[in-house]
Amino acid sequence: YFALTDKAVALAEAQLQHRESAEMHLYAGMGLLLKARLLGLRDERKATARAGVKAREHLLRAVQLDPDLADAYAGLGLYNYYVDTLSSIARMLRFFMGIPGGDKHEGIRHLQRAMTQGELTAVEARFYLGKNLRNYDQQYERAAGVLAPLVALYPQTPLFHLLLGDMNAKLN
């Protein structure tokens, strides 16, 4: 998976060397976000942070070039949400490492935009928004409302059923 993410990022960055476009910044940013996710699963915190920051740079440039590129807001939303939910110690380290801050509420707005307007990331934005509202904010009713359409659209995906069932149980 790391080889694939590196290849996707390299291909996008090679295209950016020839001609800058919002789409190529989006692809580079999304590749780096996937790499950050994989590194995070391995608990490689510094590498995760570096990949996330570089992804953010690409995504910010994408929306600077094309403010209507809703898919870029999925990645920006995830960055903003997760950086703002770090522990106090991690926030202090973030400051010393030069990692830009985030705003959870802005992250939610970005994820909502990607969820409703995105072409490539609508499902992922909806999934992560629902999951984050459940895990970090304990907003079970709101999370259930976000996730319910995924169960309807993708009834063969057990993960969506499990999350929605868990929230329904929490809501009695």
Side-chain angles (χ1 to χ4, degrees):
Y1 291 117
F2 284 110
L4 288 173
T5 61
D6 289 341
K7 184 174 182 176
V9 172
L11 288 169
E13 288 181 341
Q15 288 295 315
L16 287 167
Q17 295 297 318
H18 296 294
R19 185 179 68 84
E20 185 177 35
S21 71
E23 290 79 14
M24 285 302 129
H25 279 291
L26 170 68
Y27 298 144
M30 296 309 282
L32 286 160
L33 284 177
L34 178 55
K35 184 174 186 170
R37 177 72 175 124
L38 295 170
L39 290 163
L41 291 171
R42 288 183 165 186
D43 205 28
E44 296 181 29
R45 294 179 182 148
K46 287 181 186 177
T48 300
R50 281 192 297 272
V53 168
K54 191 170 179 188
R56 178 182 177 269
E57 291 169 4
H58 276 291
L59 296 169
L60 287 172
R61 182 65 180 144
V63 297
Q64 186 179 38
L65 292 170
D66 183 359
D68 294 327
L69 187 59
D71 290 307
Y73 290 98
L76 290 171
L78 289 170
Y79 180 92
N80 279 311
Y81 192 97
Y82 285 127
V83 169
D84 197 27
T85 59
L86 293 172
S87 68
S88 299
I89 293 170
R91 280 192 202 151
M92 186 171 53
L93 291 173
R94 177 194 59 78
F95 176 77
F96 289 114
M97 292 175 61
I99 299 170
D103 180 314
K104 182 167 66 168
H105 299 292
E106 184 177 354
I108 290 171
R109 284 191 300 277
H110 287 330
L111 286 168
Q112 288 172 325
R113 180 172 183 179
M115 177 178 86
T116 59
Q117 298 172 14
E119 294 177 31
L120 303 173
T121 61
V123 171
E124 289 81 1
R126 182 176 292 278
F127 170 74
Y128 279 105
L129 178 59
K131 187 177 123 201
N132 291 348
L133 290 170
R134 172 191 174 267
N135 292 349
Y136 295 103
D137 299 322
Q138 290 78 45
Q139 294 183 18
Y140 303 121
E141 190 169 338
R142 186 174 175 196
V146 169
L147 288 169
L150 292 178
V151 171
L153 288 169
Y154 304 99
Q156 74 282 9
T157 307
L159 179 59
F160 299 157
H161 288 277
L162 287 170
L163 279 171
L164 185 58
D166 176 68
M167 281 171 277
N168 286 333
K170 287 179 177 12
L171 293 168
N172 293 321

